[in-house]
Amino acid sequence: MLAFPTLCLVTLIVTQALTKTYGGRVTALADLSVTVEPGVIGLVGANGAGKSTFLKIMLGLIEPTDGSVRVLGLDPTVEPDKVRSRVGYMPENESLPPDVSAAEFVTHMGRISGLPRTAARERASEALRHVGLYEERYRQIGGYSTGMKQRAKLAQALVHDPDLLLLDEPTNGLDPAGRDAMLALVHRIGAEFGISVVVCSHLLGEVERICDSLVAIEGGRLLRSGSMSAMTEASDVLAVEVSEGAPELAAALEALGLPVRHEGRMLLVPLESEEAYDQILRAVAELDLPLHRLDQRRHRVAELFTPKETADV
Amino acid sequence: MSETSVIHDIGYQRYEGPRLGRGAVIGALVVHGLRVAFGLGRSAKAKIFPWLVFGIVTGVAVIVGAVRAQADIVILDYVQFADTMSWLIILFVAIVAPELVSRDMRSGVLPLYFSRPLRAADYIGAKFAALVAAVWLLLGVPQLVMFLIAAFTTDDGMRGVWHEVGDLLPAWAYSALWAVLFAAISLLIASLTGKRAFAAGAVVAVFLMTTPVFGVLQTLPSQNAQHLAGLASPMMLISGVGLWLLPDTNPGWSVGRFGPVYGIEAVALIVCCLLLLLARYRKVASL
């Protein structure tokens, strides 16, 4: 038990120049070096960016061509069993047998993870309760909706109480309400269960809401990584649209010491303090301009990625 | 966690209990496979076939045993019993092998297995052990029934019982050989497709197609050809190994002096099937 707290302090995932090429031609991952602290981590990238390859390398299912990787302080290429017993994996594709009940299936998966029989049954019930399938757990999986199947997949990844969950596109195929519910669940697992989660998604807007940190990859290369707080710091912006007199307003605001950016017909003013909002409103009122729109928006992480993305292309 | 929330606390509990090693995991998978083979813990529909086969085989054993006890006519001895039941066994492995491996492939459940501390070899080993055990039980239990009938009706007392034991044990070993070879071949075939019906058809076809080859070779004038004919068919191959190792049996043909060839082919075939299976699953596991 004494060793455990120190294990917790180990960095969740560290990669050094991680590279994976298939047959020397197709590059799935190129020179990926990233350090990830525990929490909920969004792994973002377009389809084919190398997210699934990265997950499989972390599970020790495929060997990297070059570079090194450590998960929970362990090297999955050397000790895959140790890593896998502490990691839960939810694949992207359909991966459930249709003609058994969720309770039976998750129990079986618990046993395959090394839980004794009784513990497996108890933990399976618990896991299914946490994902919200408690009532339906004795129904055959074949009769489940897509959302329920995704939850069952999550439950089997959770049954052996892992320290890290790897979720490959958990919101795939879900309707908006289902997406929100799944994301809330993932967030809860990270925040309340004390389990670190890596969520893969090709939708940045989706994961940025629930993540503590983000890793964005494109074409197998690291685009950017960092904590959400660092990325979104001081990034609240007020978008002001007036039907005329925009230049005058911009001049007035700049005179007040507020940096103004133009975006189409809108003026974007960073909201650094509470007063800024009042100052802007007052400026509009004093100039007696017809105000069309006043939007306070959180600077989306997507915008943080945009400049670099375009520079890369 | 705050004091007030304790009453309603249905929060997440970390697992502090024991975690078993790979041996226990493989054991769990073998038991699971054995249950699947006999449809235990599944719908009534899944139980029909295996238990029908089991019923027929046991029924035959009871009849054979009873006829021998009453009329003192030996219709089938233990070894011949295994040979005679071979078609039912083929049907059994044709249904059960796809149930064990094709299902997993079809439902995409394999990534869930292989993202756990389970190797491709462990998975294959467990499925193989489960099917071997199932087939062996299918033959061994009726053979035991025959033995019990014979043992309780013997006229020679303890000596008669010992004599029966001496007949039963080699026959059990012979049944195990059937089980190992049939399990290896049928699992390999079944692992190639995710469609259970295709897999079942392919397994039956492989055994069915090779039997006429044996028949044709048997009609050749050369005696060596006749003796080697059994090598062409897995069923006759086992029969040939039986002829070689258990010379008292008399299935109506002979392997001559080629007994060891049959033995070598049987071992090579089993090893080959298992290695191919392993290669197949090494590939699947890394997907």
Side-chain angles (χ1 to χ4, degrees):
Chain A
M1 278 320 283
L2 276 174
F4 196 60
T6 50
L7 275 180
C8 288
L9 295 176
V10 166
T11 313
L12 192 65
I13 300 160
V14 191
T15 70
Q16 274 292 325
L18 195 64
T19 303
K20 176 70 190 176
T21 55
Y22 291 100
R25 242 174 244 137
V26 184
T27 304
L29 284 179
D31 202 21
L32 187 76
S33 296
V34 67
T35 303
V36 179
E37 299 298 329
V40 180
I41 300 101
L43 180 58
V44 194
N47 291 331
K51 304 185 297 275
S52 297
T53 305
F54 188 26
L55 289 196
K56 281 169 189 161
I57 289 176
M58 286 196 275
L59 282 165
L61 291 175
I62 49 183
E63 293 237 335
T65 317
D66 204 5
S68 70
V69 56
R70 291 190 90 78
V71 179
L72 299 161
L74 301 162
D75 186 339
T77 55
V78 180
E79 300 175 295
D81 294 354
K82 277 194 182 164
V83 174
R84 286 183 214 155
S85 66
R86 293 179 60 192
V87 173
Y89 173 53
M90 170 176 170
E92 183 182 0
N93 303 325
E94 185 119 332
S95 54
L96 302 168
D99 51 1
V100 293
S101 71
E104 199 186 329
F105 179 68
V106 177
T107 305
H108 177 58
M109 278 333 207
R111 297 217 64 199
I112 299 304
S113 304
L115 301 185
R117 190 190 304 270
T118 329
R121 203 172 298 137
E122 285 167 10
R123 294 270 332 161
S125 283
E126 281 296 283
L128 287 165
R129 180 165 66 78
H130 287 301
V131 301
L133 281 179
Y134 195 68
E135 306 285 325
E136 296 91 351
R137 69 190 188 282
Y138 294 122
R139 275 174 50 192
Q140 296 214 328
I141 294 171
Y144 280 8
S145 68
T146 311
M148 289 160 80
K149 281 181 185 163
Q150 290 294 85
R151 283 157 184 268
K153 260 157 68 176
L154 184 56
Q156 68 77 32
L158 209 52
V159 64
H160 54 295
D161 186 29
D163 295 320
L164 169 65
L165 272 182
L166 303 177
L167 312 180
D168 202 347
E169 304 272 358
T171 56
N172 229 3
L174 301 183
D175 59 19
R179 273 167 194 270
D180 286 347
M182 176 56 78
L183 290 171
L185 187 58
V186 172
H187 181 67
R188 209 164 78 87
I189 289 170
E192 291 175 27
F193 297 9
I195 297 173
S196 289
V197 190
V198 172
V199 195
C200 278
S201 181
H202 59 280
L203 299 171
L204 177 62
E206 196 177 83
V207 290
E208 66 173 301
R209 291 168 13 213
I210 58 161
C211 289
D212 304 320
S213 55
L214 264 182
V215 175
I217 53 177
E218 189 182 73
R221 289 176 184 282
L222 181 70
L223 214 52
R224 191 150 172 181
S225 82
S227 71
M228 288 299 286
S229 51
M231 285 194 199
T232 55
E233 216 161 52
S235 59
D236 278 7
V237 169
L238 193 71
V240 193
E241 188 181 340
V242 285
S243 46
E244 56 187 59
E248 289 90 333
L249 180 61
L253 291 175
E254 260 160 18
L256 289 166
L258 296 167
V260 178
R261 258 193 316 135
H262 295 267
E263 188 189 281
R265 298 170 56 189
M266 286 191 291
L267 300 176
L268 299 180
V269 193
L271 281 177
E272 266 140 21
S273 63
E274 289 287 315
E275 293 141 58
Y277 188 82
D278 294 335
Q279 282 180 320
I280 296 162
L281 275 188
R282 218 174 299 133
V284 175
E286 276 168 11
L287 290 168
D288 200 17
L289 296 173
L291 186 63
H292 252 203
R293 183 141 60 132
L294 197 60
D295 250 351
Q296 186 174 349
R297 61 182 190 199
R298 195 160 178 224
H299 203 95
R300 306 223 107 196
V301 180
E303 292 164 39
L304 294 172
F305 285 111
T306 323
K308 195 148 184 289
E309 242 171 279
T310 42
D312 261 3
V313 168
Chain B
M1 198 152 291
S2 72
E3 292 286 337
T4 49
S5 71
V6 172
I7 298 166
H8 302 289
D9 185 21
I10 50 163
Y12 187 76
Q13 302 278 321
R14 299 302 303 235
Y15 177 72
E16 306 285 349
R19 289 173 191 270
L20 309 174
R22 257 165 75 196
V25 170
I26 295 170
L29 203 53
V30 172
V31 173
H32 179 259
L34 205 48
R35 287 173 59 85
V36 167
F38 287 103
L40 300 176
R42 278 172 200 260
S43 64
K45 218 172 75 184
K47 291 188 182 70
I48 296 173
F49 180 78
W51 289 103
L52 184 71
V53 172
F54 189 77
I56 294 173
V57 178
T58 314
V60 170
V62 169
I63 293 169
V64 169
V67 168
R68 188 179 155 199
Q70 293 295 318
D72 211 19
I73 301 167
V74 181
I75 305 175
L76 297 168
D77 64 22
Y78 296 113
V79 170
Q80 286 169 342
F81 175 81
D83 282 341
T84 312
M85 291 302 128
S86 56
W87 279 107
L88 276 172
I89 306 227
I90 287 169
L91 274 183
F92 184 77
V93 294
I95 299 290
V96 173
E99 201 67 36
L100 285 171
V101 293
S102 305
R103 270 169 78 80
D104 286 357
M105 206 155 277
R106 178 71 181 259
S107 59
V109 78
L110 288 172
L112 302 186
Y113 278 118
F114 294 127
S115 60
R116 293 179 150 79
L118 185 82
R119 308 281 173 86
D122 301 346
Y123 178 84
I124 297 295
K127 295 287 179 182
F128 180 63
L131 189 54
V132 168
V135 175
W136 188 80
L137 285 175
L138 195 66
L139 287 171
V141 170
Q143 284 170 330
L144 181 67
V145 170
M146 284 166 68
F147 165 76
L148 289 177
I149 295 174
F152 279 110
T153 58
T154 181
D155 300 327
D156 301 339
M158 245 357 240
R159 207 165 53 85
V161 174
W162 273 117
H163 181 72
E164 288 298 325
V165 171
D167 283 349
L168 176 67
L169 292 182
W172 267 356
Y174 185 62
S175 299
L177 180 65
W178 271 103
V180 169
L181 190 72
F182 275 47
I185 295 175
S186 58
L187 281 180
L188 176 63
I189 297 168
S191 75
L192 298 177
T193 172
K195 294 200 168 74
R196 275 180 276 167
F198 279 5
V203 171
V204 172
V206 163
F207 290 116
L208 202 68
M209 307 281 245
T210 50
T211 310
V213 178
F214 166 74
V216 170
L217 291 177
Q218 275 280 295
T219 62
L220 289 179
S222 155
Q223 205 188 19
N224 279 354
Q226 284 175 22
H227 286 165
L228 288 170
L231 295 176
S233 151
M235 290 164 71
M236 291 306 152
L237 176 65
I238 301 178
S239 196
V241 175
L243 276 173
W244 170 46
L245 295 175
L246 308 165
D248 331 337
T249 54
N250 178 27
W253 64 290
S254 153
V255 295
R257 59 202 161 81
F258 295 110
V261 179
Y262 280 77
I264 291 166
E265 193 194 313
V267 172
L269 193 57
I270 292 163
V271 170
C272 227
C273 284
L274 291 179
L275 287 179
L276 284 172
L277 258 177
L278 189 60
R280 166 107 181 102
Y281 275 85
R282 279 262 165 78
K283 203 167 144 231
V284 174
S286 65
L287 283 180

